[in-house]
Amino acid sequence: MKVKFYPAKYTYLILFISAFICSQESFGQKKNAAYRIHIAKTSEEITIDGDLTEKAWQEADVAKDFFMVLPMDTSLAQSKTEVRLCYDDNAMYISVICFDDLPGRRTVESLRRDFSFGSNENFLLFMDPFDDQTNGFSFGANAEGAQWDGLMADGGSVNLSWDNKWYSKVKSDDEKWVFEASIPFKSIRYKKGITEWGINFSRLDLKRSEKSSWAPVPRQFPTASLAYTGTLVWDAPPPTTGSNISLIPYTLGGVSRDYQNGSNSENRFDVGLDAKVAVTSSLNLDLTVNPDFSQVEVDRQVTNLSRFELFFPERRQFFLENSDLFGNFGLDNLRPFFSRRIGLNSPMQFGARLSGKINRDWRIGVMNVQTGKVDSLGMPAHNYTVAAIQRQVFSRSNISLIYIDKEATNYNPNPDDENPYSKYNRNLGLEYNLASANNIWTGKAIIHKNFRPDKKEDTYMHAMKLKYGARKLNLTWQHEFVGENYNPEVGYVPRKNYIRVNPEGSFLFFPKSSEKVISHGPMVYNSTYFNHEFEKNEWETSIGYGVDFLNRSSADAWASDIYIKLLAPFDPTNSGNDTLPAGSEYQWKEAGFQYLSKPNSLLTYEFSTIVGGYFNGKRFNTSLDIGYRFQPYVSLSTNIEYNKLSFDEGNNLIDLWLISPRLDFTFTNNIFLTTFVQYNNQRDNVNLNVRFQWRYKPASDFYVVYTDNYFPENFQVKSRALVLKFTYWWNL
């Protein structure tokens, strides 16, 4: 008997339940509203030198007496920190004294900006200029002065790919390190006229293995959690920025050659322009003409043994500001919009994005991008239009609507020929995003509809996620329903035509007597896929146990039971071998272990292993990430992953290697050289990428990027490219 499922009906029920849960938390005062620091205007010129000799710093309000977040959140921090703020007509200024009364080396990875938070002694500022506890900005530095800046969304996630113009300096001695910075008002977005912003300060002291914050944050949440910000009180509304237009032209020259296909060398010369126009202090217009993304850091390869496409994050600057407005619809593997689809196999010609806040409760985002045709693929030119609107409800939740249109332009295919490119592909979606005032309840309810000329039925998607995250107990429920013909071409939806349920939970114990272990506890996980008649075709059930140590190292062990019924032929090696037939069924068990070393050693490593069955054979996996640093200038690291697959009772062995050594030189805070090699025998390729960057002015760069691809058996060159690129950030 077939079971009829009505996704809209269940969505309405879930929306009601989620809204009820949130409303119970929503009307109370902000959790850390009592933590207030005042910022006053100064007429004195502030020199960013780390000396703090200006009178304004002596008179400024002080944020101190930080609270410990890790290893435990029940006392004041042992490491003392003092923060002061002031402003003038052009910028806000921050000075920080990080006292250090323990002898020994301060841990930093390098001088590279946007460092790994857990591997560097650092200070970070989290700023919520709308006081909506949802969106904001983060700035900071490690103990050697490497900058950190990012866009904040979803109440606490930080996108470090965002980059803007600001200035900082770190100075240190044996007893302290001092961070001083200037953040121009033109570099951030904020609501005109309001005098209270959300703000918090975070410090990581790896000598003590201590993370702390000014306004207290429960240990289960990141210190970036905007639900727990204190209040920055301005003595007057922050200044308006007046004309705020940034032009970012680039010039590029390069040469490339495809040796594999016997092509001649191709020379390249391009110019293009990006522009950022502040329509208001909180609404931004991004424009681009003939953009180029050759300087974007190369994706890190992985061995793909799954049946589906892998996901790689967006790093291109044009798509980043307020990117959550567009990219946060859906769930991790069910994204109706994925900006990397735009310009993936075709050149971007121009684009415009208007995004930001209208007021405290409303955000909008509108994007239009034109790509050119590719004759060799028979691909027409396309125009992409995306519009999103978000309305905040209760204290921190929101309701969001998105419309996506991919339209072929000047496209008149022969109706008698089979063609993979349709005239249009559209998507309309509605979501409710839940975030309680204390951040313990989070989740979302989703319903989307896909429109295209070739399919009319079963083109919808519904999903829901609800998470309870307390100090000890974490519980998550997630389910997904994807129609047979749901196919948003501008999205990331690697799997279609299924129903999935995905509950998981974990519990933490906090030993009182142990001097080495912070916490430990079990976890359970299940992911089960059904067809639309609720017949199981895949499941994975896991149980595990994790331990977090005082020195910030950790260990996890787990075991899983897996069942898969193949819905299409599949090569389990993903390397061109024989395929297993559709309809065949496989069940196996596997176990794994992972250990992450303490981050304050010069030598760090992460080790993991998996052993067990694999379809009609067996699998042994081991992976080692190992790094050594001559801080702060040189960092060496290597990832080695090995998979041994055996089939036909061991008579058919497949060895898959992925070896990725990386060498980072950070000569200064503004000059970087990265050499990255990736040997991947699953792809039958060796990739060499050398990237030199000189940041000669804030947000202005000169790049040299050299790329080679080789056949691994004889190192014969497949392709080679050299690109030189010059960008300049010009504020009008």
Side-chain angles (χ1 to χ4, degrees), residues 535-546:
E535 297 170 341
K536 290 182 184 178
N537 53 46
E538 182 175 334
W539 78 67
E540 179 180 352
T541 299
S542 300
I543 58 172
Y545 208 91

Side-chain angles (χ1 to χ4, degrees), residues 460-473:
Y460 49 85
M461 173 269 282
H462 154 71
M464 179 265 186
K465 182 175 184 178
L466 185 62
K467 180 178 180 180
Y468 173 78
R471 191 166 182 265
K472 293 184 177 181
L473 179 65

